[in-house]
């Protein structure tokens, strides 16, 4: 019997190759898209699960609100880890990481530096806590002593090539010598340590011994004893505040502070935890260890995957029921020959199962081909897990479920045909079916409309970001990295570059509005450490040419000036800082701001106020910022006066090689760096446009199939109309308008939904574009245009046919 | 007695009024009968045939088939009864276009869950009996109308039903083909198969042993 089903299924495919192809290909595309997205999501959820006790490992965070500023740190004070291990029996062990920016490293036998970006100090408990096995070296002694470090395999490869690295020395920043005491495996791409290659002993870092409870600089991980309830632990964690923080502040900063006073003013200091495996998707705090993803993106992608597969299923149902009229006679005959309803349902489900199986094979083939492109799109390294039996099991289940889902409606619908009716040439109960088909078409196009609208909004927001006046000049600006390696030649490097005719301005700094260093300090207005006088402010080290090079606008006071020796204790603040302190720009000039770095206090005088510029993503509001003169700098910013970049960069590199021979010359453009800020939005946009296209393609397949079917079904009607004198264009219009009505309904339903969803998304940006009517009109136009293109071929073909021929077919 | 209809009526509601398709039909069929149902278009011939074939319901009356009260039977039971004892022959043959001659013949047996070897031998018998062995791998569209109808009859017969219901079996055929088909029916009837045919043609009527005349849903 089963064989008979398969046989007739295959013969049916052969008789209807085109519709069958549309059916299977549409399903395959939906499956392919969903498969890719599912693999992506699976990968996103796999982060940090490779660590043996990941379920018991938590990162400790600090939430602080003081005065008008509330911030959530991914980091904790240096003494937190030891306090947790000593005071809390629930804590089995703790490990701290302290990121170290990029470093210049060379072997002892050469002066040639290699830049290393993935560096961190780490406690020796690191190995045991995360279950890390040393390939070479002794786990008991590695990282115990200051100036020792452990390299990953690829780290060792980078500095030592194929030579053994264990026991060898490396010179860091031309200053400190470290001994390699261990080699570990590279961390997988889905681990929070993926970017790290150099692990230095924490004991060599002075800061790590600090007892300060107001600096939050250390990523602090704890491993709880098995079975410990995390809510419970988090609750007990709060006592750290009264036990350590309050006494510390009383002793070192503000003697008269008490816990009650601090809290009564609406301030808080709370400790929270994040499970290791949740960090990648649900942690978005100040100074995260990695660029984490946002769970919202996962939700959005899940929706797209669901949409795609729904579209494909709907397509399948639509085309199958449409074709069912051709099968009506077969159903009738089978019933007169003794088939019951269930036999027929089984038969049609077998057919849809076979089709969905073929579609799956096709989907996997396309997915394999599309994988590199998708990886590029998503910035991942996903492969299809062909060697995983569970993967295959899921696929088989998917085929069954999809086959049943997509085949169920046609099967139940067709199995109900009355043989007495269909064998006389009746159409079963076709009115009912065509209504459902119409609803399905509306559904498909509604989803397409939402996706198209989303794509347009995302791109418009990206465009908005690119064109927004961010308050500083990012064009024609070259950034040269790691210039500190020039040592005492730094100033002369700057002077010589400044001499070039193609160069307008140069400035030395480590701080830029595009991703770079960030440093914030608490300042006290008039030197009084009271809450209303306190401002947590970015404090950037710049030189005299910073404001002019970045073309910042001074709205009160003046720029730094070499004439004034006192400018070494001057500060330029932004408008927002003034607002937080309750000062107009004019009032702010001349005010004193005290900075206490723990050991001594410096008083800075406000000499200027600059207009706010965006030094963070446009997702966020502009924060308080102060600029101070300081000579330490890691970057030379060069404002060019030419479009001849290559030539100028050549010249600058020549100068560099003269003043700092052997040091790497590393440059990039500020606008590229700026655009990188919005990489995740760009990525989202690209993903959207790809999958929107796919969904639209599927919807068009469906529409085309229905148009084909419709034209065929109405052959006689068209013939009659033509004999009665209807013109080709009248008939075409008649055939097209029925479908366009559906598309119109879809647009009317979908636009408000899309508007709501995208408004929510845009609200995530402090600065965003507005949704406008022209955009809605554009979406409607696109969808209608595509629909007309899809339908018209079949409509015109049917309308042009010779009526004599079509009337004879009945 | 194979079957008996007592006061069978069927109607549709139209504008609040009953329009009778069949009214007070009474007759019986004995095993071995060859009955012709005659009447003009719209007289209710096909409706009557469909009711006898259990493809259609009726609104009033009693229908007894082999001592079972059809109108009281559960759907499943009725389907079984029908599967066991009734074979259909249509005016438009209604072979499944996607199946070959052999596969078309095999289909009723599949629904009766006949074993594979038995199916093969039954199909071979039928092909032999109707002299269409050479056509067994052809599709319906490759056959002439007469040949298709032969396959249709063979298919109706293969499950050895007691009753063959033929709805204008020669309506789509030319007179020569029609005569051949009627000869086949006569032969089958001689072998003991009960035949009930709906026909327009006076000539075909003469093959039958009894005639039921219908006009506007009533027996004349």
């Amino acid at each position: 019997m089963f064989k008979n089903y398969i046989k007739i299924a295959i013969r049916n495919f052969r008789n209807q190759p085109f519709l069958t192809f549309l059916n299977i290909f549409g399903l395959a595309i939906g499956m392919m898209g969903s498969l890719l997205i599912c693999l992506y999501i699976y990968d996103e959820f796999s982060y940090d699960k490779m660590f043996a006790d990941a379920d018991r490992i938590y990162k400790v965070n600090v939430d602080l609100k003081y005065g008008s500023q509330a911030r959530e740190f991914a980091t904790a004070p240096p003494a937190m880890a030891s306090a947790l291990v000593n005071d809390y029996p629930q804590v089995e062990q703790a490990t701290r990481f302290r990121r170290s920016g990029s470093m210049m490293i060379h072997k002892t036998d050469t002066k040639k530096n290699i830049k290393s970006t993935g560096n961190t100090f780490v406690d020796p408990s690191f190995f045991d806590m995360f279950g890390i096995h040393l390939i070479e070296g002794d786990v008991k002694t590695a990282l115990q002593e200051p100036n020792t470090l452990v390299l990953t395999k690829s780290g060792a490869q980078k500095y030592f090539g194929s030579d053994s690295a264990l026991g060898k020395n490396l010179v860091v920043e031309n200053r400190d010598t470290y001994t390699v005491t261990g080699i570990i495996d590279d961390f997988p791409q889905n681990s929070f340590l993926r970017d790290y290659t150099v692990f230095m002993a924490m004991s060599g870092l002075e800061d790590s011994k600090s007892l300060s409870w107001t600096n939050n600089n250390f990523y602090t991980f704890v491993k709880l004893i098995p079975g410990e309830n995390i809510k419970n632990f988090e609750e007990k964690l709060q006592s750290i505040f009264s036990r350590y923080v309050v006494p510390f502040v009383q002793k070192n900063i503000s003697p008269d502070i008490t816990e009650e006073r601090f809290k009564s003013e609406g301030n808080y200091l709370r400790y929270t935890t994040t499970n290791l495996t949740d960090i990648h998707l649900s942690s978005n705090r100040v100074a995260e260890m990695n660029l984490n993803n946002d769970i919202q993106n996962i939700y959005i992608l899940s929706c797209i995957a669901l949409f795609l597969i729904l579209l494909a299923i709907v397509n399948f149902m639509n085309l199958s029921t449409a074709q069912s009229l051709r099968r009506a006679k077969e159903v009738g005959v089978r019933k007169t020959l003794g088939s019951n309803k269930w036999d027929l349902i089984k038969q049609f489900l077998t057919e849809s199962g076979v089709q969905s199986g073929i579609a799956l094979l096709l989907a996997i083939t396309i997915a394999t081909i599309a994988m590199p492109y998708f990886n590029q799109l998503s910035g991942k390294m996903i492969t299809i897990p062909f060697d995983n039996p569970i993967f295959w099991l899921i696929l088989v289940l998917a085929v069954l479920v999809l086959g049943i889902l997509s085949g169920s409606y046609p099967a139940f619908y067709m199995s109900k045909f009355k043989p007495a009716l269909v064998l006389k040439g009746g159409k079963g109960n076709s009115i009912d079916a065509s209504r459902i088909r119409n609803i399905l078409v509306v559904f498909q196009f509604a989803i397409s409309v939402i996706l198209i609208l989303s794509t347009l909004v995302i791109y418009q927001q990206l465009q908005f970001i690119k064109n927004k006046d961010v308050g500083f000049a990012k064009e024609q600006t070259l950034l040269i990295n790691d210039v500190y390696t020039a040592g005492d030649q730094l100033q002369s490097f700057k002077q010589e570059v400044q001499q070039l005719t193609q160069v307008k301005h140069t400035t030395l700094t480590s701080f830029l509005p595009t991703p770079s260093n960030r440093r914030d300090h608490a300042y006290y207005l008039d030197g009084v450490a009271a809450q209303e006088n306190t401002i947590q402010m970015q404090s950037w080290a710049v030189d005299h040419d910073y404001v002019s090079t970045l073309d910042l606008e001074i709205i009160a006071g003046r720029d730094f000036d070499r004439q004034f020796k006192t400018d070494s204790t001057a500060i330029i603040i932004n408008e927002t800082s003034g607002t937080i302190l309750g000062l107009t720009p004019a009032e702010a000039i001349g005010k004193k701001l005290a900075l206490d770095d723990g050991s001594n206090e410096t008083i800075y005088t406000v000499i200027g106020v600059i207009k706010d510029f965006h030094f963070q993503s446009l997702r966020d509001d502009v924060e308080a910022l102060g600029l101070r003169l300081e000579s330490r700098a890691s970057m030379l910013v060069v404002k060019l006066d030419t479009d001849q970049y290559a030539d100028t960069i050549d010249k600058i590199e020549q100068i560099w090689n003269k003043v700092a021979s052997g040091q790497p010359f590393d440059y990039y453009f500020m606008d590229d760096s700026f655009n990188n800020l919005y990489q995740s939005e760009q990525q989202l946009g690209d993903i959207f446009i790809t999958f929107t296209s796919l969904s639209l393609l599927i919807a068009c397949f469906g529409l085309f199939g229905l148009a084909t079917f419709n034209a065929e079904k109405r052959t006689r009607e068209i013939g009659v109309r033509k004999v009665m004198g209807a013109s080709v264009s009248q008939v075409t219009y008649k055939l097209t308008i029925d479908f366009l009505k559906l598309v119109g309904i879809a647009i009317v339903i979908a636009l408000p939904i899309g508007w709501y969803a995208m408004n929510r998304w845009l609200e995530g940006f402090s600065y965003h574009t507005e949704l406008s009517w022209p955009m809605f009109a554009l979406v409607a136009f696109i969808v209608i245009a595509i629909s007309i293109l899809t339908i018209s071929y079949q409509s015109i073909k049917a309308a042009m046919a010779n009526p004599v021929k079509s009337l004879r077919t009945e | 007695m194979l079957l008996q209809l007592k006061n069978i009526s069927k109607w549709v509601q139209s504008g609040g009024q009953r329009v009778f398709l069949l009214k007070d039909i009474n007759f019986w069929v004995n095993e071995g009968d060859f009955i012709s149902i005659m009447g003009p278009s719209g007289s209710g011939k096909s409706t009557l045939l469909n009711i006898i074939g259990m493809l259609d319901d009726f609104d009033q009356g009693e229908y007894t088939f082999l001592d079972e009260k059809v109108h009281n039977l559960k759907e499943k039971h009725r389907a079984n009864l029908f599967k066991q004892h009734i074979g259909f022959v249509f005016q438009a043959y209604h072979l499944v276009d996607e199946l070959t001659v052999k596969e078309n013949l095999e289909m009723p047996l599949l629904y009766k869950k006949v074993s594979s070897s038995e199916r093969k031998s039954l199909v071979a018998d039928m092909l032999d009996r109707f002299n269409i062995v050479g056509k067994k791998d052809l599709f319906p569209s490759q056959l002439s109308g007469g040949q298709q109808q032969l396959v249709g009859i063979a298919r109706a017969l293969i499950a050895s039903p007691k009753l063959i219901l033929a709805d204008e079996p020669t309506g789509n055929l030319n007179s020569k083909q029609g005569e051949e088909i009627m000869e086949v029916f006569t032969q089958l009837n001689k072998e003991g198969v009960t035949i009930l045919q709906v026909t327009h043609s006076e000539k075909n009527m003469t093959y039958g042993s009894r005639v039921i005349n219908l006009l506007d849903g009533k027996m004349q």
Side-chain angles (χ1 to χ4, degrees):
Chain A
M1 197 61 162
F2 189 70
K3 236 167 71 191
N4 185 270
Y5 293 160
I6 301 271
K7 197 165 11 181
I8 203 154
I10 290 169
R11 287 187 191 155
N12 255 310
F13 302 163
R14 224 187 281 152
N15 282 347
Q16 299 270 319
F18 181 66
L19 283 181
T20 308
F21 169 77
L22 280 188
N23 219 344
I24 291 181
F25 197 60
L27 196 56
I29 286 181
M31 284 178 171
M32 188 268 298
S34 305
L35 177 68
L36 290 179
I37 293 178
C38 287
L39 287 173
Y40 175 89
I41 292 175
Y42 177 75
D43 185 71
E44 285 292 299
F45 277 108
S46 74
Y47 272 68
D48 298 319
K49 294 223 163 88
M50 71 291 292
F51 296 111
D53 294 322
D55 56 325
R56 291 197 278 139
I57 299 177
Y58 293 85
K59 185 165 61 100
V60 178
N61 311 303
V62 173
D63 294 359
L64 170 67
K65 179 172 186 288
Y66 190 59
S68 58
Q69 291 167 304
R71 313 185 72 184
E72 298 183 333
F73 295 95
T75 44
M80 176 67 93
S82 55
L84 291 176
V85 171
N86 294 335
D87 299 0
Y88 289 84
Q90 302 94 318
V91 175
E92 200 172 285
Q93 49 187 334
T95 293
R96 296 170 300 168
F97 294 85
R98 169 73 185 267
R99 237 185 348 193
S100 154
S102 68
M103 301 189 309
M104 291 298 165
I105 297 179
H106 65 77
K107 288 200 289 182
T108 43
D109 57 0
T110 170
K111 280 265 168 262
K112 202 167 162 53
N113 271 322
I114 300 175
K115 185 172 176 172
S116 168
T117 47
N119 319 302
T120 179
F121 289 96
V122 67
D123 284 318
S125 54
F126 163 62
F127 300 113
D128 188 37
M129 179 142 159
F130 291 96
I132 291 158
H133 164 74
L134 264 76
I135 303 172
E136 290 178 56
D138 182 359
V139 75
K140 287 197 189 68
T141 55
L143 298 185
Q144 290 291 351
E145 297 302 317
N147 287 31
T148 57
L149 58 79
V150 167
L151 294 172
T152 60
K153 256 184 178 168
S154 61
Q157 168 88 25
K158 189 168 163 190
Y159 306 108
F160 297 99
S162 53
D163 299 343
S164 160
L166 192 70
K168 301 252 174 65
N169 288 342
L170 285 174
V171 180
V172 172
E173 299 291 7
N174 299 324
R175 195 175 56 229
D176 309 316
T177 305
Y178 281 79
T179 309
V180 180
T181 54
I183 308 290
I184 55 178
D185 260 323
D186 287 343
F187 288 97
Q189 280 301 309
N190 53 354
S191 127
F192 77 112
L193 293 170
R194 59 187 172 279
D195 294 331
Y196 293 85
T197 51
V198 180
F199 295 85
M200 297 171 286
M202 187 65 89
S203 51
L205 182 72
E206 257 337 285
D207 259 8
S208 71
K209 293 159 193 151
S210 159
L211 295 174
S212 165
W213 283 90
T214 51
N215 284 336
N216 300 311
N217 288 323
F218 288 81
Y219 301 102
T220 306
F221 290 85
V222 294
K223 188 195 268 183
L224 301 185
I225 54 170
E228 177 61 23
N229 180 306
I230 184 63
K231 281 271 154 290
N232 212 356
F233 173 68
E234 223 175 57
E235 224 166 81
K236 289 189 178 137
L237 207 51
Q238 307 311 323
S239 64
I240 292 271
F241 178 62
S242 47
R243 199 163 351 129
Y244 292 102
V245 184
V246 174
F248 174 81
V249 175
Q250 281 170 347
K251 189 168 154 225
N252 297 290
I253 299 170
S254 171
D256 52 347
I257 193 106
T258 62
E259 192 174 339
E260 292 69 38
R261 245 191 79 195
F262 176 80
K263 285 186 174 161
S264 68
E265 289 158 34
N267 300 316
Y268 59 76
L269 178 64
R270 291 182 201 133
Y271 301 101
T272 63
T273 58
T274 313
N275 185 266
L276 180 60
T277 56
D278 294 337
I279 293 175
H280 177 67
L281 285 179
S282 24
S283 194
N284 184 22
R285 297 171 159 268
V286 177
E288 287 284 354
M289 254 176 123
N290 297 288
L291 196 61
N292 289 336
N293 201 347
D294 190 342
I295 191 85
Q296 194 197 354
N297 288 340
I298 300 291
Y299 293 147
I300 292 176
L301 282 174
S302 308
C303 282
I304 297 182
L306 192 69
F307 278 174
L308 270 181
I309 205 76
L310 277 180
L311 278 180
I313 290 177
V314 163
N315 225 21
F316 192 95
M317 289 184 176
N318 249 350
L319 290 172
S320 301
T321 47
Q323 275 172 280
S324 72
L325 293 191
R326 292 166 167 267
R327 307 283 300 270
K329 191 185 105 182
E330 183 194 331
V331 171
V333 173
R334 282 182 181 275
K335 281 198 164 177
T336 62
L337 294 179
S339 163
N340 63 32
K341 217 174 114 182
W342 277 108
D343 289 325
L344 285 164
I345 290 173
K346 267 188 273 172
Q347 179 187 349
F348 288 121
L349 285 184
T350 310
E351 272 183 36
S352 62
V354 170
Q355 297 201 22
S356 98
I358 297 173
L360 183 83
L361 292 181
L362 199 58
I364 292 178
T365 313
I366 306 174
T368 314
I369 296 167
M371 209 56 177
Y373 171 70
F374 181 72
N375 276 335
Q376 201 183 346
L377 196 70
S378 62
K380 282 198 175 288
M381 312 244 284
I382 300 172
T383 51
I384 301 178
F386 286 119
D387 50 355
N388 186 345
I390 294 177
F391 171 73
W392 288 106
L393 188 71
I394 291 174
L395 286 188
V396 170
L397 280 177
V399 167
L400 288 179
V401 170
L402 286 178
I404 289 173
L405 266 184
S406 50
S408 58
Y409 175 66
F412 285 98
Y413 165 68
M414 283 193 272
S415 63
K416 271 194 290 197
F417 283 160
K418 291 240 179 319
L421 213 61
V422 289
L423 288 180
K424 276 284 175 211
K427 301 284 188 203
N429 22 3
S430 61
I431 295 163
D432 170 44
S434 72
R435 183 178 306 141
I436 288 177
R437 273 204 297 281
N438 290 347
I439 292 171
L440 293 179
V441 168
V442 168
F443 174 75
Q444 279 189 315
F445 272 84
I447 286 178
S448 300
V449 166
I450 292 173
L451 288 176
I452 293 173
L453 180 68
S454 309
T455 310
L456 287 180
V457 172
I458 292 170
Y459 274 92
Q460 186 172 318
Q461 173 68 8
L462 279 172
Q463 219 45 48
F464 173 83
I465 289 167
K466 281 181 186 152
N467 297 333
K468 177 157 174 57
D469 178 15
V470 283
F472 62 91
K474 59 182 191 290
E475 291 77 21
Q476 296 190 328
T477 306
L478 189 67
L479 306 173
I480 299 160
N481 256 335
D482 309 310
V483 289
Y484 68 93
T485 53
D488 49 13
Q489 293 294 299
L490 186 53
Q491 282 302 326
S492 59
F493 174 58
K494 181 186 169 184
Q495 294 311 325
E496 279 196 53
V497 172
Q498 179 73 67
Q499 299 303 318
L500 294 173
T501 51
Q502 297 95 327
V503 171
K504 228 200 260 174
H505 300 285
T506 57
T507 184
L508 283 165
T509 184
S510 302
F511 299 90
L512 285 173
T514 51
S516 67
N517 276 4
R518 291 289 180 261
R519 178 179 69 179
D520 64 77
H521 289 135
Y523 290 84
Y524 307 107
L525 186 63
D526 302 326
V528 183
Q531 184 191 320
E532 63 277 13
N533 283 353
T534 308
I535 179 166
Q536 193 74 28
M537 191 159 77
Q538 287 284 322
S539 59
W540 290 8
V542 301
D543 71 2
H544 288 88
D545 304 314
Y546 192 82
V547 172
S548 54
T549 307
L550 289 181
D551 204 10
L552 305 177
E553 189 187 335
I554 298 208
I555 51 176
R558 60 174 177 86
D559 192 1
F560 295 116
D561 194 327
R562 291 188 174 82
Q563 306 282 319
F564 295 93
K565 288 282 168 264
T566 52
D567 273 6
S568 62
T569 56
I571 189 165
I572 295 177
I573 61 172
N574 68 352
E575 272 177 287
T576 300
S577 310
T579 313
I580 291 174
L581 292 168
L583 301 169
T584 65
E587 287 168 356
I589 305 300
K591 287 280 187 297
K592 308 285 185 205
L593 290 173
L595 169 68
D596 189 339
D597 66 359
S599 45
N600 49 19
E601 189 184 71
T602 321
I603 309 277
Y604 291 92
T605 311
V606 177
I607 58 160
V609 177
I610 44 172
K611 199 165 184 263
D612 279 343
F613 61 96
H614 294 277
F615 58 88
Q616 275 156 318
S617 158
L618 291 174
R619 285 181 176 282
D620 307 314
D621 289 315
V622 176
E623 285 185 39
L625 171 76
L627 305 176
R628 284 161 24 197
L629 288 178
E630 241 177 281
S631 57
R632 276 185 57 179
S634 65
M635 260 183 291
L636 181 71
V637 184
V638 184
K639 176 80 181 172
L640 299 176
D641 197 13
T642 171
D643 287 329
Q644 307 298 313
Y645 296 146
D647 181 46
T648 315
I649 291 167
D650 256 8
K651 285 188 175 132
I652 296 174
E653 186 168 5
Q654 281 167 24
I655 299 171
W656 175 256
N657 287 335
K658 206 172 66 197
V659 300
S661 71
Q663 306 302 339
F665 180 72
D666 179 20
Y667 70 89
Y668 57 96
F669 283 95
M670 198 174 197
D671 33 9
D672 291 342
S673 168
F674 176 81
N675 290 338
N676 280 345
L677 252 181
Y678 303 101
Q679 204 189 353
S680 75
E681 282 78 20
Q682 185 73 49
Q683 217 172 51
L684 190 65
D686 291 346
I687 288 179
F688 252 97
I689 205 161
T690 306
F691 288 101
T692 302
S693 314
L694 286 186
S695 79
L696 204 58
L697 188 67
I698 296 176
C700 285
F701 276 5
L703 199 59
F704 190 78
L706 279 186
T708 309
F709 162 77
N710 195 41
E712 214 169 271
K713 194 180 71 173
R714 293 170 73 171
T715 312
R716 202 173 69 104
E717 179 205 325
I718 296 165
V720 173
R721 281 177 192 278
K722 285 185 79 175
V723 171
M724 301 296 148
S727 69
V728 170
S729 60
Q730 279 168 327
V731 173
T732 309
Y733 172 79
K734 180 89 184 105
L735 286 173
T736 309
I737 198 71
D738 287 351
F739 280 115
L740 282 190
K741 274 185 205 151
L742 300 179
V743 173
I745 294 171
I747 291 173
V748 169
I749 293 174
L751 280 182
I753 300 173
W755 174 82
Y756 174 76
M758 289 326 282
N759 233 3
R760 288 280 303 272
W761 184 76
L762 282 176
E763 277 166 10
F765 291 85
S766 296
Y767 303 88
H768 58 78
T769 176
E770 294 300 327
L771 294 172
S772 57
W773 286 111
M775 183 184 283
F776 292 146
L778 179 63
V779 173
F781 174 77
I782 291 174
V783 175
I784 291 174
I786 291 178
S787 311
I788 290 180
L789 276 178
T790 311
I791 306 160
S792 57
Y793 170 74
Q794 287 298 342
S795 302
I796 293 171
K797 199 174 102 179
M800 304 250 291
N802 185 348
V804 176
K805 221 164 148 192
S806 56
L807 286 179
R808 207 169 42 201
T809 58
E810 280 290 302
Chain B
M1 196 165 53
L2 184 64
L3 65 92
Q4 184 174 28
L5 301 181
K6 266 192 201 157
N7 298 323
I8 293 285
S9 292
K10 183 176 175 64
W11 61 76
V12 289
Q13 293 287 349
S14 174
Q17 276 192 320
R18 278 181 187 177
V19 176
F20 282 90
L21 302 178
L22 292 174
K23 194 166 168 50
D24 293 330
I25 304 291
N26 285 293
F27 76 90
W28 69 96
V29 179
N30 286 320
E31 288 197 38
D33 278 354
F34 190 159
I35 298 173
S36 303
I37 301 174
M38 291 282 290
S41 286
S43 59
K45 305 184 298 284
S46 294
T47 309
L48 180 57
L49 201 68
N50 285 334
I51 286 175
I52 295 170
M54 305 177 200
L55 296 180
D56 215 345
D57 297 327
F58 48 92
D59 297 302
Q60 213 169 55
E62 284 182 20
Y63 173 17
T64 318
F65 188 95
L66 286 176
D67 300 329
E68 305 248 29
K69 303 239 181 266
V70 173
H71 50 279
N72 288 339
L73 288 180
K74 290 229 169 61
E75 166 78 33
K76 201 173 166 188
H77 198 145
R78 187 158 57 188
N80 269 333
L81 198 63
F82 154 88
K83 224 191 291 191
Q84 291 297 326
H85 302 297
I86 299 177
F88 265 95
V89 176
F90 304 96
Q91 174 176 8
Y93 333 127
H94 286 329
L95 302 177
V96 177
D97 297 333
E98 286 78 18
L99 296 179
T100 60
V101 167
K102 195 176 72 187
E103 289 156 357
N104 263 293
L105 290 183
E106 193 182 16
M107 195 157 56
L109 303 176
L110 286 169
Y111 289 116
K112 284 179 83 176
K113 309 229 177 338
V114 176
S115 75
S116 166
S117 55
E118 204 175 331
R119 286 202 307 267
K120 274 206 187 90
S121 73
L122 281 170
V123 170
D125 284 354
M126 268 311 149
L127 289 169
D128 248 5
R129 181 165 167 192
F130 286 91
N131 252 329
I132 43 176
V133 180
K135 310 262 186 302
K136 69 176 170 23
D137 291 321
L138 297 182
F139 287 95
S141 56
Q142 294 165 302
L143 300 176
S144 73
Q147 290 164 337
Q148 289 192 50
Q149 194 58 297
L150 269 186
V151 176
I153 296 170
R155 185 180 62 179
L157 274 179
I158 197 161
S160 18
K162 285 197 152 55
L163 174 66
I164 293 253
L165 297 173
D167 192 355
E168 306 230 19
T170 62
N172 284 15
L173 301 177
N174 64 32
S175 60
K176 187 168 172 292
Q177 290 169 329
E179 269 173 39
E180 280 166 17
I181 292 300
M182 289 318 294
E183 288 303 329
V184 170
F185 277 125
T186 314
Q187 184 60 37
L188 287 174
N189 186 238
K190 277 183 189 151
E191 291 166 18
V193 181
T194 315
I195 293 170
L196 199 61
Q197 68 161 340
V198 162
T199 182
H200 253 33
S201 121
E202 300 277 342
K203 199 169 126 205
N204 286 351
M205 181 191 80
T206 59
Y207 288 89
S209 53
R210 188 143 61 96
V211 178
I212 293 163
N213 275 302
L214 280 183
L215 184 65
D216 297 334
K218 290 184 210 104
M219 284 177 70
Q220 298 295 302

